[in-house]
């Protein structure tokens, strides 16, 4: 069931490689368990040999699954050590096929029955051990070293979640790896007489891996619900306001935005929204200003801020937009992404233009009024001397006539 569940998870999200490796491990363990069950209840040495041989054929898949899980889930494993663990296990697989009836035995001559949990099970009684089993044991040692090293490096990262992951998964895998490698070796050496059930150790590994991965799945589900709720809130905010969210993936030169933003720039449904297409959609007089604002935000590592006009084509209406964004950088300080908002301020700009026009008209009327007052003052000032001059001229005229 776990194999199917994590297989489905990986099929739906192929970036979750840890689910793939866990599914692969679970299916391989089922194969090992089947071989060991047949070996436990057979009375034929030949069938027992075949079961051990097939178990060793499936065993590398289990190891590869666990190695892949640690490599993908921890993200701290050394690649050369990972390759060495795989390489030595492949060599052990070759030895299993070429050096005897299996990696553990050159030949099995006789079996015997022992009681186990109320049943009679088969164990080897007379056999010839295969010296190449040391290659498999060396491979298990490399396997263990890889897990220890990856867990330790994960621990050194320092976050509480990563340290817990290193303890829960790493320590559990170490214990079960030692058990899985030691128990068959002790049986083959004649130290103990029990069935060769390495799959029990790997079942423990799967449970430890699934426990941690299951917790991550639940966290992902909760985060998905929170993200859905946040998206709904954002969509509601967009619907009741002139605010639109956007982001620019700089390495891939891809801008994402709401349907309103794409409509504003007259973009088709399948048309790519690139930076060049963004600049093309601006008013020609504002393009240099926006480019400069973006370059400054890259250099200073701060916020991006611009107020400009959007005009998708010469006959399209002009929309004023206030754009704010935050620049994200890679660890080596290269621009990675800008996230921000578009706020349409066309109404505000129109009102500002109207107010400016009214202000200009008021200033003109004020100047006209001042000119009227000045003209009245001048007329008053000029009327007095002119009146006196007129009176004097009239008096003079009468005097001349009187003779």
């Amino acid at each position: 069931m776990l194999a199917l569940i994590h297989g489905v998870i990986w099929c739906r999200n192929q970036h979750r490689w840890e689910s793939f490796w866990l599914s692969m491990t679970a299916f391989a363990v089922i194969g090992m368990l089947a071989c060991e069950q047949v070996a436990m209840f057979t009375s034929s040495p030949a069938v027992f040999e075949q079961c051990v041989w097939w178990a060793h054929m499936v065993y590398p898949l289990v190891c590869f699954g666990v190695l892949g899980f640690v490599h993908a889930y921890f993200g701290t494993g050394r690649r050369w050590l990972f390759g060495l663990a795989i390489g030595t296990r492949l060599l052990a697989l070759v030895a299993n096929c070429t050096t005897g009836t299996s990696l553990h035995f050159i030949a099995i001559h006789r079996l015997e029955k022992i009681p186990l949990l109320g049943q009679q099970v088969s164990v080897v009684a007379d056999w010839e051990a295969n010296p190449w089993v040391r290659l498999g044991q060396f491979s298990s040692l490399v396997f263990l070293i890889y897990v220890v090293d990856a867990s330790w490096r994960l621990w050194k990262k320092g976050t509480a979640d990563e340290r817990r992951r290193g303890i829960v998964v790493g320590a559990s895998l170490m214990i079960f790896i030692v058990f899985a490698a030691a128990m068959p070796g002790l049986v083959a050496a004649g130290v103990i007489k029990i069935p060769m059930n390495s799959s029990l150790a790997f079942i423990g590994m799967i449970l430890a891996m699934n426990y941690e991965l299951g917790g991550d799945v639940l966290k992902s589900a909760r985060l998905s619900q929170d993200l859905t709720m946040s998206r709904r809130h954002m969509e509601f905010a967009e619907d009741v306001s002139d605010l639109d969210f956007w982001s620019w993936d700089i390495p891939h030169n891809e801008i994402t935005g709401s349907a309103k933003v794409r409509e504003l720039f007259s973009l088709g449904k399948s048309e790519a929204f690139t930076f060049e297409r963004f600049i093309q959609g601006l008013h020609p007089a504002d393009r240099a200003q926006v480019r400069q604002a973006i370059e400054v935000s890259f250099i200073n590592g701060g916020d991006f801020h611009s107020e400009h006009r959007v005009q998708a084509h010469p006959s399209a209406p002009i929309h004023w937009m206030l754009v704010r964004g935050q620049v994200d950088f890679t660890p080596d300080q290269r621009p990675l992404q800008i996230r921000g908002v578009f706020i349409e301020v066309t109404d505000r700009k129109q009102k500002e233009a109207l107010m400016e026009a009214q202000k200009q008209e008021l200033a003109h009327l004020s100047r006209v009024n001042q000119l009227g007052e000045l003209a009245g003052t001048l007329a008053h000032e000029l009327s007095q001397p002119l009146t006196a001059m007129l009176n004097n001229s009239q008096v003079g005229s009468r005097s001349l006539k009187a003779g």
Side-chain angles (χ1 to χ4, degrees):
M1 182 61 72
L2 290 177
L4 290 173
I5 291 173
H6 287 284
V8 170
I9 291 174
W10 179 77
C11 289
R12 293 193 173 186
N13 184 1
Q14 296 186 1
H15 296 289
R16 294 186 63 90
W17 281 102
E18 59 271 20
S19 292
F20 170 80
W21 294 117
L22 179 53
S23 178
M24 173 181 167
T25 303
F27 277 117
V29 169
I30 291 172
M32 280 190 64
L33 184 60
C35 293
E36 291 171 354
Q37 288 297 306
V38 173
M40 283 176 61
F41 296 102
T42 185
S43 299
S44 169
V47 173
F48 194 100
E49 289 174 344
Q50 285 295 309
C51 290
V52 175
W53 186 86
W54 276 108
H56 277 289
M57 297 299 293
V58 177
Y59 187 82
L61 297 178
V62 179
C63 294
F64 298 161
V66 176
L67 285 167
F69 177 87
V70 172
H71 199 74
Y73 193 54
F74 285 10
T76 55
R78 301 178 194 270
R79 292 188 176 182
W80 67 269
L81 198 54
F82 179 77
L84 181 62
I86 291 178
T88 53
R89 181 48 59 185
L90 289 174
L91 290 176
L93 180 64
V94 173
N96 179 65
C97 298
T98 58
T99 61
T101 59
S102 67
L103 186 63
H104 278 93
F105 303 107
I106 295 293
I108 298 176
H109 305 297
R110 184 171 60 86
L111 301 176
E112 65 175 290
K113 296 287 186 177
I114 63 170
L116 180 66
L117 301 177
Q119 293 181 314
Q120 294 292 315
V121 297
S122 297
V123 296
V124 290
D126 185 12
W127 71 95
E128 185 179 350
N130 190 342
W132 282 95
V133 72
R134 293 182 179 84
L135 178 59
Q137 292 167 346
F138 175 73
S139 176
S140 297
L141 178 61
V142 176
F143 184 6
L144 178 63
I145 292 173
Y146 173 80
V147 173
V148 171
D149 178 68
S151 301
W152 172 245
R153 296 180 71 186
L154 184 66
W155 172 270
K156 288 198 300 183
K157 279 191 171 183
T159 66
D161 185 64
E162 287 168 338
R163 288 188 172 186
R164 180 186 51 77
R165 188 183 305 173
I167 293 174
V168 174
V169 180
S172 300
L173 291 181
M174 294 174 208
I175 294 170
F176 291 123
I177 289 169
V178 171
F179 178 79
M183 191 270 290
L186 294 174
V187 171
V191 177
I192 57 175
K193 279 193 175 183
I194 59 172
M196 299 181 68
N197 283 338
S198 299
S199 59
L200 294 176
F202 286 106
I203 290 174
M205 292 186 195
I206 291 173
L207 292 176
M209 293 154 62
N210 181 71
Y211 171 79
E212 188 65 23
L213 202 58
D216 286 353
V217 171
L218 292 176
K219 287 180 183 177
S220 298
R222 287 194 294 268
L223 289 174
S224 178
Q225 292 176 352
D226 294 341
L227 183 61
T228 300
M229 187 61 67
S230 297
R231 186 179 292 113
R232 289 177 180 174
H233 290 161
M234 291 169 60
E235 291 173 353
F236 176 75
E238 291 177 0
D239 291 339
V240 301
S241 67
D242 292 326
L243 182 145
D244 296 280
F245 295 92
W246 66 280
S247 65
W248 177 24
D249 183 349
I250 299 172
H252 298 95
N253 192 19
E254 181 179 357
I255 298 175
T256 58
S258 67
K260 290 166 61 177
V261 172
R262 295 184 65 85
E263 181 181 356
L264 188 66
F265 283 85
S266 297
L267 291 165
K269 290 184 178 180
S270 58
E271 185 177 356
F273 194 6
T274 63
F275 177 72
E276 292 73 19
R277 184 66 179 80
F278 166 75
I279 293 295
Q280 181 185 346
L282 302 182
H283 191 280
D286 295 341
R287 292 172 183 173
Q289 163 202 330
V290 173
R291 285 184 181 273
Q292 182 179 5
I294 293 175
E295 290 173 0
V296 169
S297 67
F298 287 169
I299 295 172
N300 296 335
D303 295 337
F304 166 65
H305 177 272
S306 176
E307 191 170 280
H308 53 258
R309 289 162 289 182
V310 175
Q311 189 176 29
H313 48 83
S315 61
I318 294 177
H319 295 266
W320 276 94
M321 305 298 294
L322 173 63
V323 182
R324 294 182 180 273
Q326 174 67 47
V327 185
D328 295 331
F329 293 88
T330 61
D332 55 354
Q333 295 304 307
R334 288 183 298 174
L336 177 65
Q337 180 180 240
I338 298 180
R339 296 172 289 108
V341 294
F342 282 109
I343 304 174
E344 184 164 0
V345 293
T346 304
D347 290 344
R348 191 195 77 190
K349 284 291 184 179
Q350 291 175 346
K351 291 177 181 177
E352 288 177 353
L354 180 60
M355 291 177 62
E356 183 63 25
Q358 292 174 343
K359 182 179 178 181
Q360 294 293 333
E361 184 178 357
L362 181 62
H364 173 70
L365 292 175
S366 177
R367 288 193 296 270
V368 170
N369 183 56
Q370 288 176 356
L371 287 174
E373 291 178 355
L374 179 61
T377 301
L378 288 174
H380 176 72
E381 294 296 330
L382 290 174
S383 65
Q384 292 181 354
L386 288 174
T387 301
M389 291 173 63
L390 178 60
N391 292 333
N392 290 333
S393 64
Q394 288 176 350
V395 170
S397 176
R398 285 195 296 269
S399 298
L400 289 173
K401 287 180 180 181

